[in-house]
Structure formats: structure tokens, C-alpha cells
């Protein structure tokens, strides 16, 4: 690699000679690994011009560094970083004797404390990753995404890509969501009812920041989505967990006095149960009577296995009490960071203003690429492919669970990408997960899904979106083996 | 366009016959413009399969709709949306008689109230857009960006693109920022001192959310950056504006008791003044003595006209009190939404946790594309091109201001992309901006830059990043003419 001259900087106000400053900078950068063996230094002419010094100053510095083995000279091709220098672990840039700034007076550590810490980013290194929210690469239509990304970089779309849109969204993406995505969920919406977000997590954050900031209480599903727990802990919200049953959230257990109710009616997270129609109607009636907002997290809606989806809760919302959250992360790929909120225009206007201050808007290129991915039909094809593949994996996983004598869970709603399982009696899923990790198997212990109780220790989530179909049986076998070992040793 | 079958949904729990449901859905979608004239309906086979109904149900619905002129049949090619239907403005999905949900009980309107409302997104329609923060497309190396985006979509980078990175950053981009970008500002940093953000606005938001949430007071520059005013109003922070002078923020005017001081020492926003070294040293000494955090907004650092940049304030920070904000929006393109924070590891850990809950991480593809743009040298070339072009535009603008008898401002620091100007005596820049807009000229009136006073009415910002060089003189002539007209009528 050619090192650009702009890498270097001299300080004319300093008492140090320029040549010495330059030499010290290069030595330090080499030791710290910022300049790497074999990289080519800028030509003395280019560096001198950039620094506004004589060429001889640069040449003299280079020659000194060759003499001290930091650089090597290779005839006409110039100067290169030497490979004879040992890289030192750089020290933080505190001068000896300087006071360290007291950060503890400014930080209460509340965000760090709220953060979920049990998810490995190196999951690809494990052969049996039963890990929710990541996707097997082979299900992603990578060529189609690339085609759309290149289209979205075309001349026609340059403004959408390069402009600061302030608080606006890509009208082409919004149009497609309204015309083709929301009708599938039975939702009719206008552009002033839509806001694009950096994924569902970002949508939840904004909803909480707007509705819960001034001490308002909320009800959540127990067990429920850990990403929501994180947010509520950070905001120090007044939270009332409501135990779910086989039909999801029971409206009659929602305590009085809550302003907001969070629910995942299509696939309850993590139990995968679907809320029946009568209960949905009861929930909406209650919302109108008591005046609470219902936040519908419609994650995974695109992945039902049989026929058309059932309508969203938002589709039944007559009064406008429901805020609906959708995401492309599950159905396109998780790193995309793109989702949307559908809600009353009054709420959307407020959320749009907040988003403008928080981050302006999702990157223009990502929005326009998604618009092409949808409008060219790639999205439908990818969802079909995922649905078929997940149906097969679900069947294989269910068979493997039965074969190896593990709880097969309750059937739950149609579709989804995971099982919610009980551990064998006496087995703690935290301990099980740690033991299995050493055996190449990743599962999600249940504790993160419970806000209050320790009941999660008796559960775990087993996802089949990220593991290859052919490895499921062996993975499940290792889980059964791990359980047996723990039972024997306990 | 071919309409996908997934656009339609029937409700099996409803008492309405399936065929009627389907017909009503199509009629409604046509009236509301979600299905558009000439678009091809799904084949009856595909739609029947998707809905799980008999094909005859679909065919009968289509034939009825042909009879009522909603669809046309075109022999073997199928059914198309008719162009004989007038589009109706759809009503919000509230049933007659249904109660409207009372959103006013849940929203205090504070985000909307804080939002800056004076920036047009349709600036490309104006021939003379002296608009800050947008960039003339011809300065963007579009082909190079596309090349990098395509590289970042290659097999090798698939994980970086598609994975949920939780709260992690692209290590290749962080590596490049540390090795090549920060050294240009005199900053040496480790990966645990860097956090990527969705641009500088997102960085400011997180810093305010962490440091000011519990009633801590802050000092800001007056005039200063309106995007910061928005955030501070939303968070209802205790803010002490400090009048800047020709050398930027005067440390001796910072009131006692503030926890955080926001400053833009390289190019004070909006005056473009550069803080001299002695003042920087005084500011840092004061920070250490009084224990306040200094937030350095290093926007526009890449655009000095002559030689190397001067070091950042962060480069002089011995104790670790400075939080440094950088952005790629000015130097690559504004819609990119990518920036970074450099700060003490304790602060970065807290900010990383907050970012994880707010939005997880900037989209993987955008990060990796930027990493290529930097490492392949495109960034340096683009910055050089912008610098040359801005230097020329600045010269042309200065000449035009002199020629047409307008205040040419104070020279300010080297570089930047705007002038900060006084209106002629008695001219209100809000009124001037409105009058000029009708004449095809966009300027930024000064009021948004002042938190407290009305002094902004006597100032305006004139940026030359978004206007073509050849149109600057005529644009300035129109401003002078507009001033003369207002003076005559006042």
C-alpha cells in the first residue's frame, strides 16, 4: 500500500525542528503498527509539498530512518516501511505526570449496565450456531442485492444517494411499502403514517423515548424481547411485566394505569405463539377504553410457512391506537439496519422530528437499494426461499429433538425461525449454554428474555436461521449429550 | 409492472365471501392509487395459490371488475388495471362512528417544537442555492464510490454486510481511521477510543444523551450550530450560550458550574474563525481545573485551502477531557450518514452501549464501502478536488461580494465552505431570504444560529459548496438587488 502524504502533520508552533518532528512521527507510527512493514512511504516531493517544507527536510528524515532501520530504500521505487521493527503496544496518549480526566464524575454507566452481553459476534466460527437473528448466507440473494445497489448508484438516483435529506425518507421506498408491503398485512396507510428507521430496535427506541420519557408506565410481555428490556432499563422506565400464556399477551392481566402496551401478536417473542382474533379485539377495545397506546412489534411477519399471513393487529385498529413496527432485517439480512413505523400522523410527525435530531435519516443508498430490491421482485423471491428453507429446517429440528429425547416445545404459531424449549429438569440453561459453546454449539439461554424472574434458567431458544440444515441433527445430538452430562454431574 | 400476489390478503374469520373481499380490496387499492393504471394483475393461478382459494374465485372477481371497468382483460396476457378509474383521495382508515384515539394525552410535541424548519429539501430546483451542507454533485467521485460499493458487496465482505454486528464496528474502517485519518489531525488513538456514528448529528445526540441527561449544565458557542440547539431543546438541557469573538470561544467567559463545553475550534460554526493555539491551551487547562468535558466538533477539517491542516484540539488533550467528533458527510457526500467519535475508552464504552440500544450500528455495507474509499485513495483525491474547487469558489464569491457592494465578512480561518455575512443596515435576513427565494436564490438567514438573541436577523450564511461556480456572480448580484429593494421599500 502507498501511504498518503496526508497521514503526516507538523506543528509549526512547536519548538521541535521540522525534520525531527517528522522523524518522530514516523517512528511512532511504525512502532504502533499504524505504518506496516512493506508499505510504501510518500515520495519526498509529495510529502514536502503537503507539509510545506523543503524536499531536503523530508529526504534527510528518510535517510536517518533508513540508517536506524525503520525504513528501507529500494532504488528508484522509493522508501518502504522496514520489517525489522518490532511493533510495540502503544501507550494511551497521556503524558507522564499529566492528570487523568475524571470520567467517573460524568458517567453513571447506565447504558453499559443495561446492555445485553450474551451474544457472540464470532458465531461463524461455531459449527452449530442455533443463533437467532443471524442468517445463513446462502439464503441471501447476494447477486440480486448487488444488482440493486449498483442501480441505486446510477446517475438517476444520485440526489437520493448524496443529499442530506434532513428528516425526509426516500419517497420510492415509502411508496413501495405502502402499496405492496403493508397491504399484505391488511394495513392501509398514507405517507404521513410511515417513518423509516434504522431497524426495529431503532423504532422501539424512538417510541420509548417519545412515550415513556416523562414517567409514563408501560406493560410488556414476560418473557419478551431482550432488546426492549435494554431500552427500558436505560430510560429507567416504569415497567409492568405481564405473564404471557399459550395465546400470547392476555389483555385482562394488563394492569391499570399503563400508558403503553408492547406486544408481538404474530409471533410472540420468544414463545412464537400467535394471538387469536378474539384476544386481539379485546386488546384493542381495552386500548380505546383506557386510552393506552399498543405497540405491535411485527417482527418475522414474512416467514409464515403456509399461504398468506394473517392480518396484523394494526389492520384491525379503528381508532388509531396501534403503532406498528416492521423490519427488513429478518427477511433481507440483519446487517441492513432498515425498518419502519406505521402509526397515526400525529405520532409520526413527532417521531420524524426526533429521528431528525438523533441521526437525520437512514443512509440514502440503503433506502434506494431496498426500494429496487422490492420493486424488482427480489424481495418476494427471497422471502419465498427463506420460507421454504425455514420450513424444512423446522421439520428437521423437530425430528432431531424427538430423536434425541429433548422437549420439542409447543407448536406455536405457523412459521418463525426458532423453537422455545424447556431444559430437562434441573438443568440451568446458562450453564448448559456455556458447556455447549466449548462443544461448538451456540444456543440462547432463556434468562435474557425475562425481565423479573429467573424462570428463564429453565428455557432456551433454538433458532434454525443461521445453522445449515445438514448440521442440525448433530447439533441437537450434542445438546442432548450436554444435558445428559450435566444431569450426571449434578 | 407486475403486481405480486402477496399484495392481497383475505380474512377467513370475516363473514364476507372471499370473492367479495378480494373484489373490494382491488377496488379500494385502485381508487387509492396503490394499484396504478396499466399495471398487470397477478395471474389467477398465482393469486389463488397464494390466497388458498379456488382459481374460479379469483377469475370471477377479475371478470366482475372488468365488467365494472376497474380492470381490462387483454387476451392471453392477462388482466391489467384500467385507466378509466379516477383516483380518490383515500380516507384515513377510521370507520365512521369509531372513536379517534386521543394522541394529545401521549405527545407533548417537544421534538416537533425543537426541530429546525427552515431548510428546503427541493434546493436543486433553485438555480442559486447558497446552501450549506449540500454538495454540488460534480465534485463527488461517483464512479469511485460505486466501485467501492461493488467491492464491498463481494463474497469476501459478505459477513460485514449481512451480519447483525450487535454493537460492533467494521474493524477495517476503524483501522483506517486510526492509521490514516486521525494522524492528519495529530490524533493518536486506539480502537477502544473510536465509535462510528450515523454522522456528526448522531454523535452530538449520543454525547448529549449521556452527559446532559441528569440536569448537568453545558456551555455552547453563540452563534453556534443549529443542529446542537435542536438536541438541547429536545432534552430540555440547562444551556449557557457564550458569545464568540474573532478567535472563537473565549475560555474566560465560560461560566462556572458547566459540565460540558461544546466548541468548533477549527472552523467556528458559523463564523469560520479558527481558535489560536494559546486559547486552545487555556481551554484545556480550564477543563482540567474545573473538570468539564470539551466536545470538539471538527466538521470541515478536510477542507483547508493551504497545505496541511492544523492539529485538532484533541491532539493537544493530555488528560483525556476532549471528545472529538469527525464526519465524512462534508468530504464524501452529505447523504452518507457516517461519522465517528474519538474519546476516552470509558466514554466510548458507554456511548457504544447506548448506540447498540438506539440503532445497533451503521449499516455494514456503508461502513465497508467507506473503508475501501479511504484505502484505495479515492478519499484523498476527492478531498483535493473539493479543496481546489472550494478555493476557487471562495475567491469568486469574495470578488462578487465586493463587486456588488455587499459586506465581504471577516476573513475567518483558512478554508471552509461558506461566508458569514452581515446584512446591510436595517435589513432582516429572514425577510431577505424569503424575498430571494422567489428570485431563485437560497441563503441561510442567521436566526437559527443564535439560541437566545435576535442578533441573527442581521446576519446570513452564504455557502458555496452546492452552487456551481459559474452562477455565483449572478446569485450574489441578485442578493445585492434584493437588499436594495428591501431598503427602498422599508
Amino acid at each position: 500500500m502507498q501511504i498518503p502524504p496526508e497521514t503526516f502533520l507538523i506543528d509549526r508552533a512547536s519548538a521541535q525542528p521540522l525534520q525531527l518532528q517528522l522523524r518522530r512521527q514516523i517512528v511512532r507510527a511504525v512502532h504502533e503498527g499504524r505504518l506496516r512493514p512493506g508499505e510504501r512511504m510518500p515520495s519526498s516531493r509529495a510529502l514536502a509539498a503537503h507539509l510545506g517544507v523543503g524536499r531536503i527536510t523530508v529526504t534527510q528524515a528518510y535517510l536517518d530512518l533508513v540508517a536506524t532501520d525503520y525504513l528501507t530504500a529500494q532504488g528508484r521505487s522509493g522508501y518502504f516501511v522496514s520489517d525489522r521493527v518490532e511493533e510495540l503496544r502503544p501507550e494511551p496518549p497521556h503524558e507522564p505526570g499529566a492528570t487523568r480526566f475524571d470520567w467517573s464524575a460524568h458517567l453513571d454507566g447506565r447504558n453499559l449496565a443495561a446492555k445485553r452481553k450474551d451474544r457472540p459476534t464470532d458465531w461463524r466460527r461455531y459449527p452449530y450456531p442455533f443463533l437467532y437473528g443471524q442468517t445463513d448466507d446462502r439464503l441471501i440473494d447476494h447477486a440480486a442485492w448487488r444488482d440493486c445497489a449498483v442501480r441505486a448508484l446510477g446517475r438517476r438516483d444520485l440526489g437520493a444517494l448524496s443529499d442530506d435529506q434532513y428528516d425526509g425518507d426516500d419517497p420510492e421506498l415509502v411508496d413501495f411499502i405502502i402499496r405492496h408491503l403493508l397491504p399484505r398485512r391488511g394495513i392501509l396507510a398514507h405517507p404521513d403514517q410511515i417513518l423509516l428507521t434504522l431497524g426495529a430496535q431503532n423504532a422501539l427506541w424512538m417510541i420509548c423515548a417519545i412515550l415513556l420519557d416523562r414517567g409514563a408506565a408501560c406493560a410488556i410481555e414476560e418473557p419478551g424481547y431482550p432488546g426492549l428490556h435494554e431500552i427500558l432499563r436505560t430510560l429507567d422506565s416504569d415497567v409492568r411485566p405481564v405473564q404471557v400464556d399459550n395465546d400470547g399477551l392476555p389483555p385482562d392481566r394488563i394492569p391499570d394505569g399503563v400508558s403503553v402496551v408492547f406486544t408481538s401478536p404474530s409471533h410472540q417473542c420468544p414463545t412464537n405463539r400467535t394471538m387469536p382474533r378474539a384476544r386481539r379485539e379485546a386488546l384493542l377495545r381495552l386500548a380505546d377504553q383506557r386510552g393506552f397506546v399498543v405497540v405491535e412489534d411485527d417482527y418475522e411477519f414474512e416467514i409464515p410457512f403456509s399461504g398468506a399471513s394473517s392480518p396484523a393487529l394494526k389492520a384491525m385498529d379503528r381508532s388509531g391506537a396501534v403503532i406498528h413496527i416492521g423490519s427488513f432485517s429478518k427477511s433481507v439480512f440483519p446487517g441492513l439496519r432498515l425498518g419502519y413505523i406505521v402509526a397515526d400522523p400525529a405520532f409520526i410527525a413527532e417521531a420524524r422530528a426526533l429521528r431528525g435530531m438523533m441521526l437525520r435519516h437512514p443512509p440514502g443508498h440503503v433506502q434506494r437499494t431496498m426500494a429496487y430490491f422490492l420493486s424488482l421482485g427480489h424481495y418476494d423471491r427471497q422471502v419465498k426461499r427463506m420460507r421454504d428453507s425455514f420450513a424444512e429446517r423446522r421439520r428437521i429440528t423437530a425430528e432431531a429433538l424427538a430423536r434425541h429425547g429433548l422437549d420439542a416445545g409447543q407448536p406455536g404459531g405457523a412459521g418463525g425461525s426458532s423453537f422455545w424449549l424447556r431444559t430437562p429438569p434441573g438443568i440451568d440453561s446458562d450453564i448448559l449454554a456455556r458447556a455447549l459453546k466449548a462443544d461448538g454449539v451456540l444456543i440462547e439461554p432463556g434468562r435474557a428474555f425475562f425481565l423479573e424472574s429467573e424462570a428463564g434458567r429453565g428455557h432456551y431458544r433454538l433458532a434454525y436461521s443461521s445453522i445449515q440444515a445438514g448440521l442440525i441433527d448433530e447439533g441437537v445430538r450434542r445438546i442432548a449429550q450436554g444435558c445428559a452430562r450435566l444431569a450426571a454431574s449434578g
Side-chain angles (χ1 to χ4, degrees), chain A:
Chain A
M1 204 190 99
Q2 166 81 53
I3 297 158
E6 290 82 359
T7 307
F8 304 96
L9 186 68
I10 54 174
D11 182 356
R12 295 191 170 275
S14 159
Q16 278 186 7
L18 303 180
Q19 201 242 87
L20 182 64
Q21 282 190 48
L22 178 60
R23 235 166 57 210
R24 287 192 168 168
Q25 267 195 38
I26 295 171
V27 166
R28 183 160 186 178
V30 171
H31 276 306
E32 294 183 0
R34 286 180 289 114
L35 301 183
R36 292 183 182 158
E39 291 184 329
R40 186 210 297 252
M41 297 297 290
S43 74
S44 56
R45 183 192 303 269
L47 186 51
H50 165 69
L51 297 173
V53 301
R55 200 170 159 191
I56 187 73
T57 304
V58 176
T59 312
Q60 193 54 52
Y62 280 5
L63 288 174
D64 278 1
L65 291 165
V66 170
T68 50
D69 263 0
Y70 284 92
L71 302 180
T72 57
Q74 293 184 14
R76 299 182 63 86
S77 33
Y79 293 88
F80 294 79
V81 178
S82 160
D83 54 7
R84 278 169 293 183
V85 186
E86 197 185 337
E87 194 174 312
L88 304 175
R89 207 186 140 62
E91 289 302 306
H94 298 295
E95 301 218 323
T99 327
R100 274 215 70 159
F101 189 76
D102 179 17
W103 276 97
S104 69
H106 293 275
L107 303 174
D108 64 1
R110 141 177 85 123
N111 295 291
L112 259 179
K115 179 174 131 176
R116 190 179 169 194
K117 293 167 194 76
D118 62 347
R119 293 182 303 170
T121 50
D122 61 346
W123 64 275
R124 285 169 195 275
R125 300 201 301 115
Y126 295 83
Y128 310 101
F130 290 102
L131 202 64
Y132 188 86
Q134 300 284 16
T135 301
D136 178 4
D137 293 339
R138 280 163 306 177
L139 297 180
I140 299 172
D141 189 348
H142 192 244
W145 183 261
R146 171 142 64 167
D147 174 60
C148 294
V150 171
R151 270 173 202 266
L153 289 162
R155 276 279 148 207
R156 182 180 97 80
D157 298 302
L158 191 51
L161 168 75
S162 64
D163 280 10
D164 184 343
Q165 309 289 344
Y166 307 130
D167 62 1
D169 291 324
D170 183 351
E172 296 196 14
L173 179 54
V174 170
D175 180 68
F176 212 90
I177 290 172
I178 287 177
R179 291 174 62 208
H180 293 285
L181 221 53
L182 295 179
R184 299 173 192 196
R185 309 293 294 122
I187 301 172
L188 301 178
H190 305 207
D192 64 357
Q193 293 173 304
I194 309 277
L195 181 74
L196 296 177
T197 68
L198 263 278
Q201 183 74 22
N202 183 228
L204 280 170
W205 175 272
M206 286 194 279
I207 291 165
C208 293
I210 292 170
L211 298 179
L212 299 178
D213 198 39
R214 285 146 300 139
C218 67
I220 63 170
E221 296 172 340
E222 177 88 333
Y225 174 54
L228 178 58
H229 298 170
E230 290 180 305
I231 294 169
L232 296 171
R233 275 197 211 104
T234 289
L235 297 178
D236 200 17
S237 305
D238 181 359
V239 188
R240 320 280 168 81
V242 176
Q243 204 68 37
V244 300
D245 61 23
N246 287 342
D247 290 335
L249 179 74
D252 52 6
R253 286 198 216 144
I254 294 171
D256 282 335
V258 300
S259 293
V260 185
V261 174
F262 293 90
T263 182
S264 45
S266 297
H267 288 89
Q268 203 276 328
C269 169
T271 64
N272 294 316
R273 312 306 299 232
T274 300
M275 190 185 288
R277 188 182 180 99
R279 189 172 268 197
R280 292 177 186 224
E281 283 165 355
L283 177 61
L284 292 177
R285 265 197 311 277
L286 207 62
D288 289 344
Q289 282 162 19
R290 296 206 203 150
F292 60 70
V293 177
V294 178
V295 180
E296 173 184 33
D297 189 354
D298 200 38
Y299 82 111
E300 285 205 317
F301 86 83
E302 288 289 7
I303 322 182
F305 297 146
S306 50
S309 321
S310 64
L313 186 64
K314 179 70 184 162
M316 302 166 59
D317 173 26
R318 301 287 164 239
S319 70
V322 177
I323 300 176
H324 174 94
I325 302 175
S327 171
F328 295 111
S329 298
K330 297 282 175 298
S331 47
V332 183
F333 46 79
L336 179 61
R337 311 309 315 139
L338 199 60
Y340 49 87
I341 298 175
V342 186
D344 190 274
F347 179 81
I348 292 295
E350 192 67 19
R352 184 178 299 284
L354 175 61
R355 193 195 68 183
M357 284 179 269
M358 275 176 60
L359 57 82
R360 298 288 182 234
H361 54 80
H365 181 225
V366 174
Q367 295 188 51
R368 186 54 56 92
T369 303
M370 189 67 222
Y372 280 118
F373 199 72
L374 283 162
S375 65
L376 296 174
H378 298 306
Y379 182 78
D380 289 325
R381 279 189 290 277
Q382 172 151 326
V383 167
K384 277 206 188 82
R385 190 170 49 248
M386 281 187 166
R387 182 190 296 163
D388 293 347
S389 167
F390 286 3
E392 189 206 355
R393 290 172 188 206
R394 186 174 184 90
R395 186 184 51 71
I396 294 172
T397 309
E399 284 169 14
L401 289 167
R403 181 176 311 123
H404 300 293
L406 289 171
D407 170 52
Q410 292 166 308
S417 60
S418 65
F419 285 86
W420 176 246
L421 301 172
R422 274 181 200 286
T423 57
I427 304 276
D428 180 326
S429 56
D430 274 354
I431 296 170
L432 177 64
R434 269 199 301 278
L436 289 173
K437 203 169 166 180
D439 201 21
V441 182
L442 297 177
I443 62 167
E444 273 185 287
R447 208 144 56 88
F449 299 90
F450 288 82
L451 188 75
E452 286 191 333
S453 86
E454 292 289 298
R457 289 185 182 278
H459 288 92
Y460 60 109
R461 184 161 70 171
L462 201 69
Y464 41 82
S465 56
S466 51
I467 186 170
Q468 297 176 32
L471 296 173
I472 290 175
D473 189 72
E474 173 60 15
V476 171
R477 194 191 66 75
R478 290 183 185 214
I479 296 171
Q481 194 179 50
C483 290
R485 278 204 199 111
L486 284 177
S489 74

